[in-house]
Amino acid sequence: MENNKHAIYGEGLTRIFQRGSEKLYALRGVDFQISPGEIVSIVGRSGCGKTTLLNMVGCLDTLSEGTLYIGNTEVSRLKEKDLIKVRRENIGFVFQLFYLIPTLTAYENALLPLLFARRLDKKEKVKEIFQKVGLGERLNMLPSELDGGDMQRIAIARALVNEPKIILADEPTGRLESKSKEKIFGLFKKLAEDGLAIIIATHDLGLASRADRMIRLKDGMVVN
Amino acid sequence: MNFITLAIKNLLRRKIRTTLTILSVAIAISILFSLVAFNRGYEKEMKKELQYLGYHILVVPKGCPYEAASLVLHGGKFPRYLKDEYVEEMRAVEGVKETARLFMDSETDSLLKETKIYFGIDEDYLRFKTRWKFKEGGFFTDDHSVVIGLYVSETKKLKLGDKTRAFGEDFTVSGILEQTGDQDDGFYFLPIKTSTRVSGKEGLLVAVAIKVEDLSRIEQIAEKLRAAETDMNVVSMKEVTGAIMGLVSSTRVLIYAVVLIAILISAVGVLNTILMSVFERTREIGMMKAVGSSRMDIFRLIWYETFIVCLTGGLVGSFLAVAGSSGIEKFIKKLMPYAPGGQLISADLLVIIVSVLFAVIMGILAGIYPAYRASNLMPIEAIRTE
Ligand SMILES: Nc1ncnc2c1ncn2[C@@H]1O[C@H](COP(=O)(O)OP(=O)(O)O)[C@@H](O)[C@H]1O
Ligand SMILES: [Mg+2]
């Protein structure tokens, strides 16, 4: 099959965890697609499989069953080395707890993916990205000197430096107060206008309903 | 930014812990450093000292020959003696070039708690001590003369012509030796006849020093001397050197075992600390994998951290050892069965290289397991929020 239209195309996505002798279906046959420029929110109670779905489409974990395309690449049977490559070229992650390294400056934190991709030659671009995410000149500040909203901006800058086509954000506003929340969501909107596909897993129904599309999960399955 | 600066910045997050770990490596390495440096200095000094002795064979009374040999080198009271008339027999042995009678006694001043060592010698001895130079005066002028080492002259404030008491009689300083750098600096030399008389051992000797004509025949000559008399021990200096070195090397094995244990303990400490820091950073490592690091990248990062800790520890340890070498030297000298006089800890470039190399190897080995564990962390495990 060819996938020319979707940034991600997944069919029958299933992830089974073994809990002792029991099989736990974290995802049970989920069909999922997203196109460039689209924002999709994933909602549902804690434990319904949101994070698992992001991990699957982010190639951090391997499917138990199902077919998954990232762009034109069929990833469900790729080896780890190739998965890393797919990830580097296509996907940027944003986490609820930011995961910034406290002894690195904002700028250095954002550089990490370039270090791992052996592309430090592109580091000039980071300044542009800082402008875009609204950090301006705050390149040399330590994360501890910034508020939660700005920390998440650093994390978003870090997700953008490899020029991904997809942003996966797991509860990106879970730790932010409402003003910062608004701004971060606004930033995602802006990134989508630039053509990125954005998936946001969240508890926050108010925020989720402002996405282009909302997917509701329950016990690892899509409900409508 | 590169992997090394990233590793350094990671280590800076826990400054106290990192400092303590570096210190533990530094201590182990400074012990190693001191011992390697000591060993080199020791062997060098031993060889030098035995060379300066000037004699090839030492004849001592029956008993433990090495104990006697060590007493001659060190000074002290002898339990047994040789008869003076043996010297003529020894002179007659073919191949013997020179002989010198030696007597030795000591006197302890119970008030000052110090022991003076008296060496009884005659002119013959000067032909063995060719390196001796008189700073002032010269050899004995009468039977109540005394020649003193430079150290004695300085500490006892004895000048040429001064009188000093030994065994209840007065002796006049007839000569002061220039510094020899060995035990002679701390000895009093008396005319042998007077010395044996005041000690109540007339006609007795503690040792006879012998020079041979042909060094390559030293063992045959020693054999002939052994055949001549039965109640004496004939020790060639080759044997003494060998025996002392043997003693040293058995002590060395013990010391190295201790060092090895110290290094092992500190290596396990490093491993444990790094492993702990890996587990603390589980999620962060997951993040790094999510943003594109490979297993190898994570392995390398953690490995560098261990390596940097050990390398820094090695450098700090070497520095500490150099800074504290005089104290350490005193301490080790107390532990050794026989210690020559000169500077024992000789810290040359090779010693520094060996110590730092050890630290580096330790870092490489201690880093493997934590780095392996870190590289195998699953990115999803790392990122789970519950
Ligand atoms: N690595 C794992 N091992 C075992 N069970 C897991 C693992 N990851 C997730 N699960 C389980 O899968 C289900 C879905 O989890 P998750 O995707 O984290 O839900 P959400 O992000 O919506 O809260 C939960 O029951 C969770 O306990
Ligand atoms: Mg979750």
Side-chain angles (χ1 to χ4, degrees), chain B residues 287-329:
Chain B
M287 172 278 288
M288 291 187 193
K289 290 200 163 176
V291 304
S293 78
S294 63
R295 266 169 206 259
M296 198 53 219
D297 289 339
I298 301 294
F299 187 94
R300 186 186 309 194
L301 180 64
I302 303 301
W303 211 25
Y304 282 171
E305 288 180 22
T306 325
F307 189 80
I308 290 165
V309 163
C310 290
L311 182 66
T312 314
L315 294 172
V316 171
S318 302
F319 176 79
L320 287 181
V322 170
S325 63
S326 69
I328 294 167
E329 173 154 343

Side-chain angles (χ1 to χ4, degrees), chain B residues 184-196:
Chain B
D184 288 349
D185 285 336
F187 288 159
Y188 295 76
F189 297 92
L190 303 178
I192 193 160
K193 287 240 165 63
T194 321
S195 172
T196 51

Side-chain angles (χ1 to χ4, degrees), chain B residues 27-40 42-43 244-265 328-339 344-345 358:
Chain B
I27 289 167
I29 293 300
S30 69
I31 294 174
L32 172 87
F33 184 101
S34 304
L35 286 165
V36 174
F38 178 83
N39 218 29
R40 283 171 66 75
Y42 187 89
E43 276 174 22
I244 292 178
M245 289 298 186
L247 213 58
V248 171
S249 69
S250 62
T251 317
R252 199 192 298 154
V253 168
L254 191 79
I255 293 172
Y256 277 135
V258 172
V259 175
L260 209 67
I261 289 169
I263 287 180
L264 221 68
I265 289 174
I328 294 167
E329 173 154 343
K330 272 190 202 130
F331 177 70
I332 302 181
K333 267 185 175 173
K334 275 197 191 140
L335 297 178
M336 299 302 282
Y338 168 78
L344 292 190
I345 296 191
F358 240 88

Side-chain angles (χ1 to χ4, degrees), chain A residues 15 17-19 24-27 43-55 61 170-171 201 203 217 220, chain B residues 380-381 384-386:
Chain A
R15 179 64 166 103
F17 290 111
Q18 199 70 39
R19 275 238 174 113
L24 185 128
Y25 281 80
L27 283 184
V43 295
R45 280 212 209 98
S46 182
C48 68
K50 302 184 292 293
T51 298
T52 305
L53 180 58
L54 289 190
N55 287 341
D61 195 6
D170 196 358
E171 314 262 9
H203 276 103
L217 286 183
Chain B
I380 50 157
E381 288 290 340
R384 285 175 71 183
T385 35
E386 65 264 39

Side-chain angles (χ1 to χ4, degrees), chain A residues 55 80 87-88 103 118, chain B residues 9 289 292 295 297 380:
Chain A
N55 287 341
E80 184 182 284
R87 219 151 60 206
R88 274 184 197 154
T103 43
R118 309 297 189 275
Chain B
K9 296 221 168 175
K289 290 200 163 176
R295 266 169 206 259
D297 289 339
I380 50 157

